[in-house]
């Protein structure tokens, strides 16, 4: 009974740990998949949450970018600024850089003994990303084992609440296997990890690909200009059979409607537009124009705040330095 109570995190103080790989600027998938939940969780500090940490995962980014260290180091500040511009508050959430905390690497070495190579190869996220990157048998050992170091990222600071996108669920499942195995061999030490998903846990790419991703270059970035938003929305995948305005159109799998469902707050109007589109008589340009304005309304204040932050990179460096020390 006692063991069960510990494992289900009853009466245990909760710490949030989340992060991004500094491999490029952040996009709307990050915003709706994870950042909005990070912001909601930092506002629960003092109530159900004790502490919140935000990590720039530069070591993890190197696992598939070892030949391009500049890309990783240059993006540390960019990704930190993206999060602050969205509303993650360094006064509430502690920002830190993975490579500045050697204890994470130490813990990773211990965890490496608890996971088999076969299990790593079976992880659906790793499998999928390996395919996407074309690694085949020549996968770097560091990349194959990133779920292990990600487990150390979460556990070293006592983290258990992890706001993530859906693509990370298999990684957290594997992390919990490590927690269980460690606890059963060495005694109750770590709490099980609870993923926190949003209501848009996997935003599709503008090309209709299953996931908007920095690496696939199919995303609208939260720092994009109005012109970039316009260009990307105009290029969005809709219904290839909807050629003339009067043709009946498909709503399922139509990226413009997928985005309107997530980002447009006027649900009744979206339902109305869907009906018109299905019947015929509503053109792609009309729904795209609506989406452009909906997205601009969300992105404009973020872009504005980001431009302010860009003027003072030393201030961001100081935030990261203080977070590393903490
Ligand atoms: P990379 O291609 O370098 O892996 P990425 O776009 O997948 O970049 P990450 O830094 O790996 O971004 O992910 C950071 C967080 O954002 C994770 O919690 C991930 O699940 C979430 N996330 C990333 N892309 C999406 C998406 N399209 N929809 C919802 N959540 C997402
Ligand atoms: Mg990723």
């Amino acid at each position: 009974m006692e063991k069960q109570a510990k494992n289900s995190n009853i009466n245990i103080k909760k710490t949030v740990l989340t992060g991004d790989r500094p491999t490029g600027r952040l996009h709307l998938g990050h915003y709706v998949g994870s950042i909005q939940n990070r912001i909601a969780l930092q506002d629960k500090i003092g109530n159900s949450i004790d502490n919140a940490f935000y990590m720039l995962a530069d070591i993890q980014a190197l696992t598939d970018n070892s030949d391009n260290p500049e890309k990783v180091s240059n993006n540390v500040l960019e990704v930190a600024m993206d999060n602050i511009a969205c509303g993650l508050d360094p006064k509430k959430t502690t920002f830190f850089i993975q490579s500045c905390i050697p204890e994470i690497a130490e813990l990773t070495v211990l965890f490496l003994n608890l996971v088999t190579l076969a299990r790593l190869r079976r992880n659906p996220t790793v499998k999928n990303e390996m395919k996407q990157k074309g690694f085949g048998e020549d996968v770097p050992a560091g990349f194959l084992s990133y779920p292990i170091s990600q487990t150390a990222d979460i556990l070293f600071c006592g983290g258990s609440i992890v706001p993530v996108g859906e693509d990370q669920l298999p990684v957290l499942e594997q992390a919990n296997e490590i927690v269980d195995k460690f606890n059963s061999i060495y005694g109750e030490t770590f709490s099980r990890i609870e993923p926190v998903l949003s209501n848009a846990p996997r935003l599709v790419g503008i090309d209709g690909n299953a996931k908007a991703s920095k690496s696939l270059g199919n995303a609208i970035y939260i720092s994009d200009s109005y012109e970039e938003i316009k260009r990307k929305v105009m290029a969005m995948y809709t219904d290839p059979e909807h050629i003339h305005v009067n043709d009946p159109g498909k709503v399922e799998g139509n990226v413009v409607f997928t985005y309107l469902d997530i980002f447009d707050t006027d649900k009744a109007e979206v339902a109305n537009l869907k009906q018109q589109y299905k019947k015929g008589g509503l053109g792609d340009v009309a729904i795209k124009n609506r989406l452009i304005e909906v997205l601009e309304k969300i992105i404009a204040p973020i872009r504005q705040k980001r431009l302010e932050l860009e003027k003072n990179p030393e201030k961001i460096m100081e935030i990261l330095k203080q977070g590393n020390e903490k």
Side-chain angles (χ1 to χ4, degrees):
M1 266 312 276
E2 200 199 334
K3 191 167 178 184
Q4 209 174 24
K6 275 183 185 162
N7 266 345
S8 58
N9 293 343
I10 295 167
N11 295 332
I12 291 179
K13 292 184 170 185
K14 303 219 171 178
T15 292
V16 178
L17 180 287
T18 179
D20 299 302
R21 293 156 37 95
T23 50
R25 289 182 172 211
L26 300 189
H27 52 68
L28 287 172
H30 298 109
Y31 183 66
V32 289
S34 176
I35 298 178
Q36 283 185 321
N37 274 340
R38 296 172 190 173
I39 296 166
L41 284 164
Q42 77 180 357
D43 289 333
K44 291 187 181 163
I45 294 176
N47 294 315
S48 54
I49 299 295
D50 271 303
N51 251 317
F53 291 99
Y54 168 75
M55 186 185 78
L56 292 141
D58 57 347
I59 295 283
Q60 188 184 120
L62 279 175
T63 61
D64 56 326
N65 289 282
S66 56
D67 56 347
N68 201 351
E70 288 80 20
K71 171 174 148 188
V72 175
S73 54
N74 291 340
N75 275 302
V76 166
L77 270 192
E78 300 291 343
V79 170
M81 284 192 287
D82 277 335
N83 272 276
I84 299 172
C86 287
L88 205 67
D89 180 355
K91 289 199 186 80
K92 299 177 185 167
T93 297
T94 302
F95 281 56
F96 69 93
I97 304 175
Q98 188 185 20
S99 62
C100 295
I101 315 294
E103 288 80 358
I104 296 176
E106 256 179 76
L107 199 52
T108 302
V109 172
L110 293 174
F111 289 166
L112 275 164
N113 301 326
L114 306 180
V115 182
T116 65
L117 269 180
R119 175 65 182 89
L120 287 166
R121 285 188 193 280
R122 273 201 309 273
N123 184 312
T125 305
V126 175
K127 239 163 123 173
N128 189 24
E129 290 175 348
M130 271 173 61
K131 202 166 137 201
Q132 188 192 311
K133 293 168 204 298
F135 280 144
E137 277 306 300
D138 292 328
V139 59
F143 186 84
L144 190 65
S145 56
Y146 91 71
I148 302 177
S149 71
Q150 193 164 314
T151 306
D153 301 334
I154 298 165
L155 298 180
F156 93 96
C157 60
S160 65
I161 307 290
V162 185
V164 279
E166 195 179 64
D167 63 302
Q168 289 301 305
L169 289 182
V171 176
L172 297 188
E173 192 182 315
Q174 188 162 17
N176 273 330
E177 290 171 18
I178 296 174
V179 169
D180 292 344
K181 193 150 189 194
F182 190 100
N183 287 349
S184 76
I185 300 171
Y186 305 108
E188 283 300 322
T189 310
F190 298 113
S191 295
R192 294 198 104 228
I193 294 161
E194 299 171 35
V196 180
L197 287 186
S198 76
N199 52 10
R202 183 170 46 81
L203 185 70
V204 295
I206 55 173
D207 54 357
N209 189 298
K211 179 178 173 285
S213 156
K214 295 187 221 103
S215 303
L216 295 174
N218 61 354
I220 296 178
Y221 295 90
I222 54 179
S223 49
D224 272 351
S225 67
Y226 181 64
E227 286 66 36
E228 281 162 321
I229 296 173
K230 220 163 139 177
R231 185 180 59 75
K232 288 178 183 176
V233 171
M234 282 302 171
M236 259 182 186
Y237 181 86
T238 55
D239 170 7
E241 318 245 293
H242 184 245
I243 299 162
H244 305 291
V245 173
N246 289 327
D247 293 342
K250 259 205 230 99
V251 163
E252 296 78 32
N254 184 320
V255 178
V256 179
F257 280 110
T258 307
Y259 275 56
L260 283 173
D261 275 336
I262 295 170
F263 296 103
D264 196 330
T265 49
D266 190 347
K267 302 296 170 208
E269 182 56 15
V270 174
N272 181 26
L273 290 173
K274 279 183 183 172
Q275 230 177 11
Q276 280 186 49
Y277 193 84
K278 282 198 267 194
K279 215 167 65 197
L282 182 64
D284 280 0
V285 172
I287 54 168
K288 285 180 170 177
N289 278 335
R290 181 176 181 94
L291 181 60
I292 290 166
E293 296 316 315
V294 164
L295 295 182
E296 173 64 9
K297 207 168 141 200
I298 296 169
I299 291 178
I302 300 174
R303 186 195 301 131
Q304 189 55 36
K305 182 149 183 220
R306 203 184 189 287
L307 287 172
E308 286 300 312
L309 295 168
E310 282 167 20
K311 288 183 195 154
N312 203 347
E314 295 78 24
K315 200 169 150 196
I316 312 290
M317 289 303 287
E318 189 51 36
I319 288 168
L320 298 180
K321 209 173 131 218
Q322 281 179 13
N324 290 338
E325 278 162 17
K326 182 173 172 187

